[in-house]
Amino acid sequence: MDKKIAVLAAGANGSCIAADLTQAGLDVAVIDQWPAHVETMRASGLTVRTRDGGPVTTPVTAYHLCDVCTLHDKFDLVLLTSKAYDSRWLTEFIKPYLAADGLVVAVQNCMTAEEIGGIVGMERTVGCVVELSSQMFEPADILRNTPPPRTWFGVGAFDDAHADRVEEVAAVLRHAGRVDITDDIIAAKWMKLIVNAMTMGLKAILGTTNEQVFKLAGARELFLRAGEEALTAGQILGHRVVPVIGLTAEQVANTNSLLETLLEKIVHDVGPTALNTVLQDHMKGRYSEIDLINGLVAEACRAEGRPTPVSDAIIAISKRVHAGELKPDVANFELIREQLES
């Protein structure tokens, strides 16, 4: 494959993907906004560790954002791996460097497709759902919780007229994990948002891993209540129930235990000790994606007069953590209970 590929805003997940694609012999440029990360990649490569194996260091071609204006080639494929709230400006930023028939793939959480398509055109946008868990606290040093056999991507076109482009993306991403092609990528994105709304925010404000959180009495019930709110929001918005994260159509259709199935699958795949991306943001003092996950759930339900008490609690306490008023801690479980009872 002779396509020129950019991994744009290569945090932990983007770095894992960039390393996999580079190892596969693809032409990959890694572009990031953290100066120390770029300089370390340039000096000593990208190091990815897994819980099952030792570190693998991959030499990569890395660029600072400010270097991009010196590039002369156009990218055939841009994998946008930033936080969802950075989607708009990064898409505008990379648009001049996208080939005339190039594609942008948002390998992200949240519902960013229309925003990206509105900038580069829906015909140059391919949707992607991702199940890849990783963490990075030091530049170019990543712990990957889901190695390629447990990493999953779902890809799809937003318009049937452009469906022939999807296999191009799938062929690239198969170097980093399993890939399914879906005929309803928006619904698939919402299904993954349900998973994230159930688990990410609660574990993050409690400062817990899967191994720790299920020892808290009532935690599982809160996960499922948050999932019910997200499922309701999806129904309000008209999204179908479709298989994601490697589940089959039979596993998600005509079941009374959809949320339990999603919860068990994500816990199994991610493992007992992973730190999710929202918790990592809290630990780093960074803004998280909660407003675009649980916040989106609350907004959709509020428009129809449907309450979202668990999502509201997650949002409120997450804001206090980001403001420095609270730290991620199991003690916040009582704050959640108090807000739900008020």
Side-chain angles (χ1 to χ4, degrees):
M1 181 179 289
D2 59 358
K3 293 183 182 298
K4 291 190 173 297
I5 300 168
V7 179
L8 179 57
N13 280 1
S15 294
C16 291
I17 295 168
D20 287 341
L21 302 190
T22 301
Q23 289 168 20
L26 303 186
D27 184 352
V28 180
V30 187
I31 304 169
D32 196 60
Q33 63 214 60
W34 184 13
H37 186 39
V38 174
E39 290 303 316
T40 304
M41 285 190 284
R42 286 175 167 177
S44 51
L46 259 175
T47 298
V48 180
R49 295 171 287 118
T50 67
R51 300 193 185 280
D52 303 323
V56 175
T57 299
T58 304
V60 295
T61 302
Y63 296 98
H64 297 284
L65 289 182
C66 60
D67 296 324
V68 174
C69 64
T70 68
L71 301 180
H72 300 289
D73 293 325
K74 302 277 187 171
F75 293 110
D76 301 296
L77 185 64
V78 173
L79 303 179
L80 179 58
T81 56
S82 70
K83 298 294 184 183
Y85 50 71
D86 284 330
S87 299
R88 178 176 292 280
W89 75 267
L90 280 170
T91 305
E92 290 281 10
F93 168 79
I94 206 65
K95 182 180 178 181
Y97 308 96
L98 185 65
D101 61 347
L103 299 172
V104 176
V105 187
V107 190
Q108 303 169 296
N109 295 315
C110 312
M111 308 297 287
T112 57
E114 291 183 347
E115 190 170 58
I116 292 167
I119 296 168
V120 299
M122 295 306 283
E123 72 280 3
R124 295 203 289 174
T125 307
V126 170
C128 181
V129 189
V130 58
E131 182 191 21
L132 197 174
S133 171
S134 59
Q135 50 206 64
M136 177 169 64
F137 291 93
E138 298 297 330
D141 184 6
I142 297 95
L143 174 60
R144 183 168 180 169
N145 301 303
T146 54
R150 295 209 312 272
T151 295
W152 176 87
F153 302 96
V155 293
F158 297 105
D159 187 318
D160 289 342
H162 314 132
D164 60 323
R165 306 298 308 277
V166 174
E167 178 54 35
E168 299 175 36
V169 177
V172 169
L173 290 177
R174 287 191 187 105
H175 294 292
R178 296 169 297 133
V179 180
D180 287 334
I181 294 176
T182 176
D183 62 359
D184 192 342
I185 189 62
I186 294 292
K189 291 286 287 183
W190 191 271
M191 289 292 292
K192 180 62 190 313
L193 188 138
I194 292 173
V195 175
N196 291 341
M198 266 200 293
T199 60
M200 278 191 176
L202 279 168
K203 285 191 290 185
I205 59 183
L206 298 174
T208 55
T209 62
N210 286 327
E211 185 176 56
Q212 296 163 334
V213 74
F214 288 106
K215 295 177 182 177
L216 299 175
R220 185 182 185 86
E221 289 74 15
L222 280 183
F223 282 146
L224 296 175
R225 286 181 63 183
E228 288 169 0
E229 293 174 2
L231 186 59
T232 297
Q235 292 168 344
I236 290 169
L237 295 170
H239 299 312
R240 296 191 297 129
V241 171
V242 298
V244 291
I245 59 176
L247 294 169
T248 65
E250 291 74 22
Q251 287 174 301
V252 301
N254 302 318
T255 176
N256 293 323
S257 58
L258 173 63
L259 297 174
E260 290 89 341
T261 299
L262 293 170
L263 180 59
E264 293 302 324
K265 184 66 164 60
I266 196 70
V267 168
H268 171 270
D269 289 353
V270 170
T273 58
L275 304 178
N276 75 46
T277 183
V278 177
L279 176 53
Q280 290 180 62
D281 287 337
H282 287 338
M283 295 169 71
K284 297 171 185 176
R286 292 171 38 167
Y287 181 50
S288 77
E289 293 175 314
I290 285 299
D291 287 338
L292 297 176
I293 300 174
N294 296 89
L296 196 59
V297 169
E299 179 183 349
C301 288
R302 187 163 49 245
E304 295 293 322
R306 304 291 290 272
T308 53
V310 179
S311 292
D312 293 344
I314 292 170
I315 296 163
I317 296 172
S318 295
K319 290 183 184 300
R320 294 181 64 186
V321 172
H322 180 60
E325 298 174 18
L326 298 170
K327 293 186 179 299
D329 194 279
V330 292
N332 294 332
F333 201 57
E334 289 307 311
L335 294 179
I336 299 171
R337 291 184 190 275
E338 289 172 9
Q339 182 157 335
L340 293 176
E341 293 170 358
S342 63

